[in-house]
Structures are given as C-alpha cells and as structure tokens.
Amino acid sequence: MMARRNFIRVLGGGAIVAAGAALAVPRLDAMPASAIEGWSGPKTEERDPRRRAIAWAMLAPNPHNMQSWLVDLKRPDEIVLHVDRDRLLPETDPFGRQIVVGQGAFLELLSLALAAEGYRADIVLFPDGEFAMDRIDGRPVARVRLAKDAALKVDPLFAQIPRRRSTKTPYEGRPLTEAHRQALIVVHNAASALPLGFAVSDGRAGDLRDIATKASDIEMNTPRTHKESIDRLRIGAAEIAAHRDGLVLRGPGVWFGRQFGLVTHEKAMTPGTTAWQGGRDYILAPYANATSFGWIAAPSHGRSAQVLAGRAYARLNLKATELGVAMQPHSQALQEYPEMADLYRAIHKATITPESLTVQMFFRLGYAATPGPAPRRSPDSIVMG
Ligand SMILES: Cc1cc2nc3c(=O)[nH]c(=O)nc-3n(C[C@H](O)[C@H](O)[C@H](O)COP(=O)(O)O)c2cc1C
C-alpha cells in the first residue's frame, strides 16, 4: 500500500499520469456529441418546413465556421436571411466578401432542403438593395418565399448534405481524375453561368501550390490576421461544446499538450512555439503534395455575384462528396488586405482571371479519408427574436 502511494508520488501526479490518461483513453477530448448533433438533420418533431430546411442549411460550408447567418421567420411562408454582423472576419475578410459567399452556400442548401420538403424556394437577392462593396450593412441578403410545388423532384445532391466536408488533411498523391473533373463541370454548368477553372498536375497547378503555401505563411506571420484565426480556435472538447463554431483543435495529443501549457491560444499566437509550428505544419503539409486545384470566378462588382459563387461552390462540394472527391477551400491568397496584395495579383494571373472578374473560391481537390463533421450551433440560435 505504502509502496504504491510512494510510486504515485514519484510519478509526480502530473506528467506521467497525464500521459497515461491520454494514451489509455482513446476517446479523450473527443468531439462533443452536442456540437455535431445538427448533422442528423432537423428534429423529427419539427413540423415547420422553414425550420426543417434551416437545420439542413446550417450544415453549409462557411468561412472559419462562423455561421454568420440570421433568419427572420416572422412572416408565414417566408425566410428572410441576414448576415449576423457580430460574426464577421474584419482582418482577413475586410470587405465581408467571404462572409457573403457563405450566405450563398446557406441559400443553396436551404433551397435543396425546401425542395425535399415539397417547396420551391423563390429567392430574391438583396430585396432592399445590395450592400456596398466595402461593408456589410443590416439589410437582408435574401427573401425566400416558399411555394408548394407538387411537381418538384428531390435533387440527389440533397442526400449529400450530411456527408459533405471541407477535408483539410493531406490527400493521396494521385490527381483528380478526368472523369471526376468532367462530372463536376457538368453539375456546375447545369446550374451556374460562373466561370469554373481547374489545374491538374500541370505547371499551373505547381504555381498555384506555391502561391497557396506563401499566402498561408503571410497570414500566419501577420499578427493581426493570424490572431483572427486563433481567436476563433476552440481548443479541446469543453471549448468546442461551449461555442459549437470556429476552427477546432482536440484529441489525446492536444489534451496532453494542454496539461503542460504547451497548447494554449497564447502559444498558438507566438512564432517559435510548438503550438505555432504545429499549426503551420497542419496548414502547410497538405499543400506539399497537392496536385489538383479548382476555382470559381464571378464579376468583381456586385454582391449578388458573391452569393451566386457561394451557391455554386456548395453544389460543387456536394457533387464532389457524391463522387468521393475531397475538397478544401484555400482563401488566404484571395484575401483583400495589404500584405496579401502581391499574392492576390499572382493567383488572379495564374488562373488567367480578367480584371472584371474576381476569384471567389479557390480549392484543393483530391482523394482522402472522410473526416468527422465540424461543429454547428443549434438552428434556434440563428432565428431572430
Ligand atoms: C467563403 C469560404 C472560405 C473558406 N476558406 C477556407 C480556408 O481558407 N481554409 C480552409 O481550410 N477552409 C476554408 N473554408 C471551409 C470552412 O473552414 C468550413 O466550411 C467550415 O470550417 C465548416 O466545416 P465543413 O465545411 O466541414 O462543414 C471556407 C469556406 C467558405 C464558404
């Protein structure tokens, strides 16, 4: 008995016990069930087709997983979509371009889900006028009227909503197949007139890989833009459960690092620390063997173009899911802050995008294991009171 107590004291109660716990409990620091319950879709008792569709639409891809959506349901048979201006990214997305693209992704999933409920979504973008190009104001992004339509068919992409991911891990070395590239083009062209481009295993793909890598480094080495991501980083299961948004860092290794103060927001902000370097490796490693990229461009002027780009991206991501193709957006080189200006020009040049158009979504494509889902808040949390 005595010997055992001494043994525990020798262990110091800290380091080695912590290590033992991390190794012994593989579910340690697991994704909290509450944070991902949304991926099962609307609650069965929910009868309002608008709320059912909103539950699906919240699974849309969106920048930094800020879920910057608000819906006004005060009028029957109508959903009015607003930007949640408490959930912007002022440093990396100073004009709110990405946030507006994320509104489009929401609208695409919303309309797929309404169709599955038997309603056509009659969408009017910016019914009170568009935001200026440099700021988001309080006017709605869209008014969606529900029209019962017996002839509606369920779009097969609807079934992909709960399976879709932004796959951020390294991909297998093999490039996007020509058959998959063609299938993505067909689905895109059927619904969108926006230019869609690809670079697969050619010199241009190499140039784009270099641009993406340099752009990520600039963002990480610019303290105010890096801080914006770190402020939205949820470290460990408890923070994830409390926020159900943002970027997540968790698992036994992260838990262990936290016990020793190695993995904290402050350390992740500080170049040279294990946490900062680990973050850089996590972001850059997937680009080392990246062979395949795609992009969607849209007119540079007008907020509706940004919404349409978001709709097109969401469709493409859903089709890729069906095909077993992994996708990850890369936004750093598209960001409109001064330190990024050279790479912003470089990515537009490499994608041969004329001045009148802006690359709205740029993404890596390939093949990889499907990761777990990212957190989502409850649908009620976006309903305006
Ligand atoms: C406009 C926009 C920009 C995005 N930019 C990035 C990015 O730069 N890097 C990245 O890894 N993911 C990016 N994403 C993906 C989001 O991080 C992702 O959608 C979010 O974390 C939720 O995860 P999920 O798509 O797997 O549900 C972007 C998504 C959108 C719509």
Side-chain angles (χ1 to χ4, degrees):
M1 185 69 180
M2 192 62 200
R4 188 164 169 263
R5 208 175 298 137
N6 278 343
F7 178 61
I8 289 170
R9 201 175 313 129
V10 169
L11 287 181
I16 295 175
V17 172
L23 297 173
V25 190
R27 301 261 323 139
L28 187 71
D29 219 23
M31 177 63 83
S34 60
I36 53 169
E37 67 191 7
W39 291 88
S40 320
K43 297 209 164 69
T44 36
E45 64 271 22
E46 182 57 68
R47 288 282 161 259
D48 183 341
R50 299 174 303 171
R51 285 179 180 266
R52 293 180 60 79
I54 286 163
W56 290 119
M58 283 192 75
L59 304 179
N62 68 98
H64 273 43
N65 201 15
M66 291 312 294
Q67 307 163 36
S68 320
W69 309 298
L70 285 174
V71 289
D72 179 346
L73 302 180
K74 286 184 204 80
R75 278 164 301 279
D77 303 319
E78 195 173 297
I79 301 168
V80 181
L81 175 65
H82 290 258
V83 174
D84 183 342
R85 289 186 293 158
D86 291 335
R87 293 178 158 270
L88 303 181
L89 299 162
E91 299 297 345
T92 55
D93 185 31
F95 308 135
R97 184 189 62 79
Q98 291 184 61
I99 293 289
V100 174
V101 171
Q103 307 292 312
F106 181 94
L107 284 172
E108 183 61 30
L109 270 62
L110 187 74
S111 97
L112 290 172
L114 285 171
E117 297 279 334
Y119 293 90
R120 195 181 61 242
D122 290 334
I123 300 178
V124 176
L125 295 183
F126 298 103
D128 298 340
E130 290 195 351
F131 310 145
M133 290 309 283
D134 61 351
R135 60 185 291 267
I136 287 176
D137 61 47
R139 289 175 290 173
V141 174
R143 189 187 60 224
V144 182
R145 291 228 165 95
L146 277 62
K148 195 94 191 142
D149 186 344
L152 269 183
K153 286 206 205 67
V154 180
D155 190 317
L157 294 183
F158 172 68
Q160 302 301 327
I161 290 178
R163 302 181 60 234
R164 185 207 59 80
R165 304 283 185 267
S166 301
T167 305
K168 307 193 178 198
T169 51
Y171 300 168
E172 294 170 19
R174 65 189 166 109
L176 183 71
T177 67
E178 182 55 22
H180 286 163
R181 193 176 78 94
Q182 289 302 337
L184 292 171
I185 291 172
V186 167
V187 140
H188 175 80
N189 288 347
S192 175
L194 297 178
L196 167 67
F198 291 93
V200 178
S201 289
D202 56 7
R204 188 144 55 133
D207 292 346
L208 290 166
R209 185 175 57 223
D210 291 347
I211 291 169
T213 304
K214 284 185 189 141
S216 291
D217 248 334
I218 288 186
E219 186 182 300
M220 276 200 83
N221 284 291
T222 305
R224 64 174 204 291
T225 55
H226 185 46
K227 182 170 189 301
E228 189 160 84
S229 294
I230 299 303
D231 287 348
R232 288 157 181 79
L233 183 65
R234 315 302 177 208
I235 303 178
E239 280 189 12
I240 295 169
H243 292 275
R244 296 168 61 169
D245 67 3
L247 309 170
V248 306
L249 189 60
R250 58 165 196 88
V254 170
W255 183 89
F256 186 55
R258 285 207 309 285
Q259 310 313 305
F260 295 99
L262 294 171
V263 183
T264 64
H265 287 93
E266 202 193 330
K267 288 270 160 58
M269 256 315 287
T270 312
T273 62
T274 312
W276 189 89
Q277 192 57 46
R280 183 173 181 273
D281 293 347
Y282 173 79
I283 291 166
L284 295 190
Y287 286 85
N289 72 341
T291 58
S292 312
F293 295 98
W295 58 91
I296 297 170
S300 301
H301 202 78
R303 292 294 193 163
S304 298
Q306 298 172 356
V307 174
L308 296 180
R311 293 194 69 164
Y313 177 77
R315 281 189 84 73
L316 215 55
N317 198 179
L318 290 169
K319 182 65 186 179
T321 306
E322 186 190 286
L323 297 170
V325 171
M327 277 170 82
Q328 178 195 22
H330 164 95
S331 298
Q332 282 81 353
L334 305 180
Q335 286 165 352
E336 299 112 322
Y337 57 91
E339 292 86 343
M340 199 57 82
D342 288 347
L343 290 170
Y344 182 90
R345 268 193 299 277
I347 199 168
H348 282 80
K349 189 159 174 251
T351 53
I352 319 178
T353 304
E355 192 83 14
S356 57
L357 301 178
T358 295
V359 178
Q360 302 288 353
M361 289 301 289
F362 173 71
F363 39 94
R364 186 166 64 98
L365 294 148
Y367 302 93
T370 305
R376 289 298 190 277
R377 292 175 299 145
S378 81
D380 290 345
S381 67
I382 71 161
V383 178
M384 294 166 91

